[in-house]
Amino acid sequence: MMSKMGLDMQTIFGQALDNRGLSRKQQAVLNASLVLFAEQGYDGTSTADIAHKAGVSEGTIFKRFRTKEGLLQAILEPFLNQVIPQAAGEFVSDLADKRFPHFKDLLAYGIRDRIDFVTANRPEMKIFIQEIGKNPILLVQMTNMLADALRESFNDVFKVYQDKGELVQWESMRIMRYVTSVLIGYMIPNVIMDDMPVDKEHVTQEAVEFLLLGLTPRA
Amino acid sequence: MMSKMGLDMQTIFGQALDNRGLSRKQQAVLNASLVLFAEQGYDGTSTADIAHKAGVSEGTIFKRFRTKEGLLQAILEPFLNQVIPQAAGEFVSDLADKRFPHFKDLLAYGIRDRIDFVTANRPEMKIFIQEIGKNPILLVQMTNMLADALRESFNDVFKVYQDKGELVQWESMRIMRYVTSVLIGYMIPNVIMDDMPVDKEHVTQEAVEFLLLGLTPRA
Amino acid sequence: MMSKMGLDMQTIFGQALDNRGLSRKQQAVLNASLVLFAEQGYDGTSTADIAHKAGVSEGTIFKRFRTKEGLLQAILEPFLNQVIPQAAGEFVSDLADKRFPHFKDLLAYGIRDRIDFVTANRPEMKIFIQEIGKNPILLVQMTNMLADALRESFNDVFKVYQDKGELVQWESMRIMRYVTSVLIGYMIPNVIMDDMPVDKEHVTQEAVEFLLLGLTPRA
Amino acid sequence: MMSKMGLDMQTIFGQALDNRGLSRKQQAVLNASLVLFAEQGYDGTSTADIAHKAGVSEGTIFKRFRTKEGLLQAILEPFLNQVIPQAAGEFVSDLADKRFPHFKDLLAYGIRDRIDFVTANRPEMKIFIQEIGKNPILLVQMTNMLADALRESFNDVFKVYQDKGELVQWESMRIMRYVTSVLIGYMIPNVIMDDMPVDKEHVTQEAVEFLLLGLTPRA
DNA sequence: GATGAATGAGCGTTCATTCAT
DNA sequence: GATGAATGAACGCTCATTCAT
C-alpha cells in the first residue's frame, strides 16, 4: 500500500522501475549491486564487478537497467518508497494506535522500532548516505517530504501528551529533530562500520533517559 | 564574527602549507581541489578539472602531490592532524578559562563557537564526510582521538557545574554526545548544501533551550 | 624449404593460441604486437600503435591481455616454453633418427636446419634478444633449460662419431657452444636487420668447413 | 690521438660532443647515465633518475646535452671513438709489434687482451648491445667500418703465419669472424649479467684449443 | 652556468555502454 | 532474454623538455 503521503518517487527519479517482475538474474544483479555499492561505494564499483558477483553477463545489467545510474535508482527507489511510508505513515499511525499511557512509553517503543529499522536497512542506508554527499538535494527533498507528511500526524500524537503535561509545547517537528538527532548520533557508527553491532537496549535506555529529561516540561 | 579562539582556519591551514613550501601554483591546486572535491566529490573530480580550475598544467599537480590520492591527503591530513586537535584543545581550554558563571552560559558560548567553526571549515567538512562513507576507519580514528584528548578536560570543566547541581552527573563524553548530536542535527543541511545559510542565533537559542532542559538535574 | 622436422612455428604457435581461444581480433593484436615489438622494440611501441595496426580499439588489447607486459608474455611465453623446447627436442631426436654416416653430414644438416628455424622465427628472436638486455635472467633460464634438456641426447648422438674418431672427445655442451657461436656469428646480422637475407648454402658450407676442422681430432 | 682509421663519428652521430671540457657536474651526469642506462636500459631510465643520481638539477642535463638522446650519444661516441681504434688500430699493431713466434701465441695473447677489454667496458658494451636492437644500422656500420679498417692489417699479420703453414689460407675477415664468434659466445653472459665473473685463463685455454684446431691447416 | 618549477603531449589502463550472435 | 567481445572516451600519471630566476 502506498503511504497516504502520496510520495511519488517518479518525481524524484524519473523512470522508476517496478522491481516486481524482475527475473532471477535481474534480482541477482540488484542484490550484488546493493552489497557492492554499500561495501565499496558507487564509484568504487564497476559494472564488471556487479556482473561477476551476480553471475551474469555485463550486457544483462544494461538490458534491464539501461545505465549504471539506473541500477542505483532501482536500489534507492524501493528504499525510499518504503522507508518514507514506513518511517512516516505506518510508523506514526502505529504509534497512535498503540495509545501509550505515557510519553515515556511511546519514546521507548519508537526508538526501539527505529533502531530495528535502521539495522534492517543498513546497506541501503549506507548507499543513501554516500549519495547525499554528491547529490545534497536528495536530503532536502526527503526532509521536506517527511516534514510535510508527518507534521500534522505527529501534532496529533504529541498533543495527547502535551495536554497531559508530559511533553513540552514545542512544535512536533522540533521535537522530532531532537529525537532523530540523538538516535542518529547513536546509530551512525553502526551504519557506517559494517561490523559494529548496536546494543539496542542500552541505547534505548540512555536515549530515553536523556530525551525524557529534555522534553518533559519543568514543574 | 570569528570566534576569539583564534580558530582561523585560513591561518592554521595556510601555515601548514607554507611549511611545506608550496608555491603559488601549488596553492592554487590545493584550493581548486578543496572546492571541487567538496562540490563534486573526490571521484567526480578529474585531475584535468583541478588543473583547469587552478590554471596550471596537469603535470604540476603530480609533481608535488604524487597522486590524486596524495592531493586528498594533503587536504585532509592537516585538517585531521592539526586543525581538529588544535581547535579542540583550544576550544576546551578556552571554555575552562572563561569560567562561565552558569552551565547555560557555557553551553551558549560553546554552541556559537562550534557553529562558527563548522561554517569556517565547510568544504573540508564536506570532503571529510564523503570520505568517511568510503573509509569508515577515519571516523573511528577521529572519534577516538578526540575522546582521548578531551575526556579529562571536559571532566574538569563539567565538574564545576555538576557540583553546583546545574549539570547531570553523566560522564562527560555522554554529555558531549548529546550536545554534538543536536548541533550536527542543525548543521548537517548547512554543511551539505552549499547555499544554505544558518541562523546562528536562532539555532543557538533553540539548542540551548533543549539541551539545558535535558542536561539539568530535576529537583 | 621448411625443415622436415615439422618446425612450423605457425602451426605450433597457432595451436597454442587456439588453445587460449583467441578471437580473430585478439589474434590480430598478437600479430601486430609481434611485428611492432620486433620493429621498434617493446618500449618504442605504444598500445595505440598496436591497436591501430591490428585494426581494433585500444580497449580490446587490455580486455584479453590485461597489460602491455601481458602482451609481451603472450608472445614470449609460448616461444620459450613450447616452441624452443619442442623444437630442441625434435631437433635432437631428428638428428639421432637420421643416423648420418659421418659427423660432417650431421653438421651440415643441423646447420641448415637451424638456419631455417631462425629464419622462421625472426620476429620472436629479435624481441627475445631485446628483452634479454633488460631482463638477463631470461638468458640464463633458457640456457639452463636447453642444457638440461639436451646434454644427454647430444651425448648419445655425438658418441657415435667420437667412437669413430670423427669428433673430438669434448663434452657435448662444449661442442654445442662452438657450433652455436659460429652459427650465431653468421645469423645475428640477419636476425637484427629486417631486410638482410642469408645465403643458406654459403653459410652452411663455410661453417661446416671451419667446424669440421676444429672438431675433428688430429691424427 | 685519433686512430689512423680516421673513424669520423660525426658521420654516425651528427653532433658529437667533445667530452673534454665537461664540468664536474656534467661528468657526473655522464657517469650516472652510464650506470643507469646499463642497469635499467635507456627507456627505463628517466632524466629525473639521472639528475638525482648525479646530484644535479634536471635543467643541467639539457643545458649541455640538449636531449636525452644526446646523452646517449655522449656515452657511445667516446666508446666508439676508443673501442674502434683500440679494437682495431692499436690492437692489430700491437699484435704485429709483438712478433709472436707462433700463431698459437698470438691467439692466446689476443684473446686475453679482448677479454680484458670487454671486462673493462662492460657498461658501455651493454648499452651498445641494447641500442643495436633498436637501431640495427649501428651494427652494420660498425662491422663494415671494422672490416674496412682491419682487413689489410690483419692480412699482413696473418700472412706471416699462413706462410709458415700455421694458419689456414682463408681471408683474414673470415678468420676474425670465427675468433670473434667464439669469444662472444664465452663473453655474452658475462656482459649481460652484472654479477657473472669470467675465468679468463680457463676461457683462453679452451678457446685457443678449439680455434687452433679449427684454424690450423691439416697436413 | 645552474636551477627546479612548470609544462603538455603522450602513455597505459579502466569502464560504462553497445550490439551482433 | 542473455551473452560477452568490442568499443572509445576519459582517466591518472610520466617524463623529456623549457625557461624565468
Side-chain angles (χ1 to χ4, degrees), chain D residues 23 25-26 57 59-60:
Chain D
S23 73
K25 297 223 171 199
Q26 290 150 357
S57 75
T60 301

Side-chain angles (χ1 to χ4, degrees), chain A residues 40 43-44 126 130 132-134 136-137 139-140 168 170 174 177-178 181-182 185-186 188-189 192-193 196 205-207 209-219, chain B residues 39-40 43-44 126 130 132-134 136-137 139-140 168 170 174 177-178 181-182 185-186 188-189 192-193 196 206-207 209-219:
Chain A
Q40 357 182 81
D43 291 304
K126 198 169 173 189
Q130 290 173 208
I132 281 175
K134 290 175 223 155
I137 281 182
L139 179 64
V140 182
V168 288
W170 299 337
R174 185 179 171 196
R177 175 194 287 277
Y178 299 137
S181 291
V182 168
Y186 277 108
I188 273 282
I192 287 177
M193 308 291 291
M196 183 164 291
Q205 180 249 309
E206 274 199 10
E209 182 182 19
F210 167 65
L211 287 167
L212 211 59
L213 208 51
L215 297 172
T216 305
R218 299 277 155 160
Chain B
E39 268 175 12
Q40 337 179 15
D43 291 305
K126 195 169 176 192
Q130 291 173 209
I132 281 175
K134 290 176 224 156
I137 280 181
L139 180 64
V140 181
V168 288
W170 298 336
R174 185 178 171 196
R177 177 194 285 277
Y178 299 136
S181 291
V182 168
Y186 277 108
I188 274 282
I192 285 176
M193 307 293 291
M196 182 165 292
E206 273 199 9
E209 183 182 16
F210 167 66
L211 287 168
L212 212 58
L213 208 52
L215 297 173
T216 305
R218 298 276 155 164

